[in-house]
Amino acid sequence: MLDVRRLRLLRELQIRGTLASVAAALHQSPSSVSQQLSLLEQEVGVELLRKVGRRVQLTPQAEILVEHTSAVLERLEQAESDLAASLDEATGTFRLAVFQSVALALMPATLSILETEHPRLRVTMTQREPESALYETWAREFDLVIAEKYPGHNTPWHPELDAVDLTTDEVRLAVPPAGRRFGDITSIAEAADAPWVMEPPGVASRHFAEQACRVAGFEPDVRYETADLQAQISLIESGHAVALLPDLLWLNREPPVALHRLDGRPHRTIFTSARRASAPSPGVAATRQALSRAVAAGRGGA
């Protein structure tokens, strides 16, 4: 019988690429990981790893094992989920990945609901960009990720993950209040000569904003880059920049900047994603329900 723990190490090596990365992710030493993989080679009786420079590469036989390991791990996770569902109570540690606007607008209310109704569920929250968080959820570092999808920008696809829509919000042009510099701008075209603040390259919001400017006929002067949306709001409010911001930021608060609708009224979709095998578990179900209630409460619903 093959050792599932050692098989998992082999799969992690395929995902992460180096022994050091596997060791760091699983809180082990590189020498321990290497030793366990050597024992796995002895168990199966074939070569699993080859040295290529300073790295190691999986052999075709190792790839076969990894394919079966993924299926085994998924089935084991399904067993854990079914067992947890049979208890009908959310317990244990639940690892949640969120991006900033959700952390600001939805997580305080969501955590309050979970603490009240599921006191035995210990929720940990980590801020991550959706692109990397989806991958990390697939790699079993998180149990649930809250991600976003902008028009014309697809999120990375992982076959083991589901996707459940949570809410949508409109994306608008945010400019300084009336009376301040750039406060008279009312459309993207009028912002061609204004300084812009955007998130760093590589994220969906940056791609969407740049494309919106190009459709309007200009390349934006991205003078400020920050993933901190609170910092973006401060730069806009003080008259230093303009930006495209989603409406979720203004849940439960009055916007300190002027907002203008864009042509076509584009909307961002916010969704949650979990591994399909664990999606029925009480922890995932309870967190998704609490998030939906936080959205409804913020919009004046039940």
Side-chain angles (χ1 to χ4, degrees):
M1 183 71 69
L2 297 176
D3 190 308
V4 174
R5 291 171 296 181
R6 292 171 187 156
L7 289 170
R8 184 191 174 197
L9 289 176
L10 190 66
R11 179 180 181 274
E12 291 289 336
L13 182 58
Q14 184 205 48
I15 292 172
R16 303 181 191 280
T18 67
L19 291 171
S21 297
V22 173
L26 300 182
H27 307 291
Q28 298 183 26
S29 67
S31 61
S32 173
V33 172
S34 180
Q35 182 182 25
Q36 291 300 310
L37 290 174
S38 295
L39 289 172
L40 181 61
E41 279 189 323
Q42 295 175 25
E43 285 181 351
V44 298
V46 298
E47 183 184 39
L48 298 177
L49 303 175
R50 291 174 183 159
K51 285 191 175 182
V52 180
R54 295 186 176 182
R55 299 167 68 95
V56 292
Q57 185 178 67
L58 272 66
T59 65
Q61 291 70 35
E63 296 285 355
I64 291 172
L65 278 179
V66 166
E67 182 180 353
H68 286 285
T69 299
S70 296
V72 169
L73 291 175
E74 184 175 1
R75 193 59 187 262
L76 287 173
E77 190 170 31
Q78 181 68 60
E80 291 176 352
S81 178
D82 290 347
L83 183 62
S86 71
L87 300 174
D88 199 28
E89 181 183 6
T91 61
T93 296
F94 188 82
R95 303 162 301 171
L96 181 64
V98 305
F99 58 97
Q100 192 188 35
S101 58
V102 163
L104 292 170
L106 298 180
M107 288 314 300
T110 298
L111 292 173
S112 293
I113 293 170
L114 291 173
E115 287 173 0
T116 300
E117 300 183 5
H118 304 278
R120 296 182 63 191
L121 185 68
R122 177 180 179 268
V123 179
T124 65
M125 183 186 78
T126 304
Q127 186 174 315
R128 286 282 196 279
E129 289 301 327
E131 288 81 2
S132 60
L134 287 163
Y135 172 84
E136 290 165 333
T137 302
W138 171 73
R140 291 174 167 77
E141 291 188 22
F142 297 107
D143 299 303
L144 184 72
V145 56
I146 307 173
E148 61 183 351
K149 182 167 57 178
Y150 277 80
H153 187 281
N154 291 325
T155 55
W157 182 76
H158 300 285
E160 292 181 25
L161 300 185
D162 68 3
V164 177
D165 287 352
L166 176 61
T167 187
T168 61
D169 60 346
E170 190 170 346
V171 182
R172 306 178 196 244
L173 174 67
V175 304
R180 294 202 170 170
R181 189 184 180 201
F182 308 118
D184 58 344
I185 292 174
T186 61
S187 69
I188 291 182
E190 293 175 4
D193 297 324
W196 285 74
V197 58
M198 294 185 185
E199 294 196 52
V203 300
S205 61
R206 173 67 174 261
H207 178 267
F208 172 78
E210 288 178 332
Q211 290 302 311
C213 292
R214 290 164 187 162
V215 169
F218 67 95
E219 190 68 24
D221 175 14
V222 184
R223 204 170 300 179
Y224 313 107
E225 286 187 357
T226 175
D228 187 338
L229 298 181
Q230 298 285 56
Q232 289 194 22
I233 294 169
S234 294
L235 288 169
I236 300 166
E237 184 181 8
S238 58
H240 294 291
V242 300
L244 298 183
L245 295 178
D247 275 353
L248 190 68
L249 285 170
W250 322 122
L251 201 70
N252 299 314
R253 63 180 289 193
E254 286 296 319
V257 298
L259 300 171
H260 301 285
R261 282 207 160 104
L262 307 180
D263 292 342
R265 297 182 61 176
H267 282 68
R268 171 184 68 163
T269 300
I270 299 171
F271 65 96
T272 62
S273 191
R275 292 178 298 281
R276 297 181 190 278
S278 62
S281 69
V284 173
T287 304
R288 280 177 161 162
Q289 183 184 63
L291 283 164
S292 296
R293 288 168 58 185
V295 170
R299 292 179 172 170

